[in-house]
Amino acid sequence: MRGQYKRLTSETKIEILLDTRADEYKSLESDTGIGFFDHMLITFGRYANLNGYIKVEGDLFVDTHHTIEDTAIALGKTLKMMIKDTSINRYANAIIPMDEALVRTVIDMGGRAYLDFDYEFKREKIGAYDTDMTLEFLRAIANNSESTIHIDVLKGKNDHHITEAIFKSLGLAIKQAITVVDGEIFSTKGKVEE
Ligand SMILES: [Mn+2]
């Protein structure tokens, strides 16, 4: 499966390509200009088994808000595009430890946008990354990929570990949710004609 998306506004310029195969791209490259965010997106790509690139030129002279939120909007849309009309697992969950941190993601990628995440970080920043943007990132992913996402930080003290476990568990859950299965799209409603 492959999804490709470009988005241009006065605040950000974004190009994303995601591919579940590893023939053309062997990993997910990320260049957003925010070091810790790239670290998280590359990690997400590895756990989600998605290869390709995320290229972002954002208005970082303002702050990181537009860049992180718009990247998530584009990433969510690319995921939606990738699974469109494909029969996937749809439901998945993943629990990831990272040292003392333990995070659980439960996802339904069946077309219902909803986010449940209410963890409050202790630190304001990890490098140049604003920790309050994690909520905005997750909300934009849920809305634009039309997924229901519940993320619970079950344990944890270190915000770097907790954030990394969030991105890893989200990635691993998405990897399982987008696994192609035989047969009809898994819904009791049937296909919506548009
Ligand atoms: Mn790390």
Side-chain angles (χ1 to χ4, degrees), residues 36 39-40 98 160 164:
F36 183 75
H39 176 35
M40 291 303 100
M98 178 148 188
H160 185 127
E164 195 157 334

Side-chain angles (χ1 to χ4, degrees), residues 140-159:
I141 291 284
N143 286 341
N144 292 281
S145 68
E146 295 172 24
S147 302
T148 294
I149 302 174
H150 289 252
I151 296 183
D152 289 286
V153 177
L154 304 174
K155 295 184 199 176
K157 289 192 172 72
N158 179 292
D159 282 346

Side-chain angles (χ1 to χ4, degrees), residues 107-122:
I107 196 165
D108 167 16
M109 297 188 76
R112 301 173 71 89
Y114 188 90
L115 174 72
D116 185 290
F117 176 78
D118 58 10
Y119 187 75
E120 285 179 27
F121 293 94
K122 289 175 281 298

Side-chain angles (χ1 to χ4, degrees), residues 10 18 26 33 86-87 90 109 114 124 129 135 159 162 170 189:
S10 59
L18 298 177
K26 308 293 179 201
T86 306
S87 180
R90 180 175 163 180
M109 297 188 76
Y114 188 90
E124 251 178 61
Y129 177 88
L135 171 64
D159 282 346
I162 292 167
L170 178 66
K189 202 193 287 181

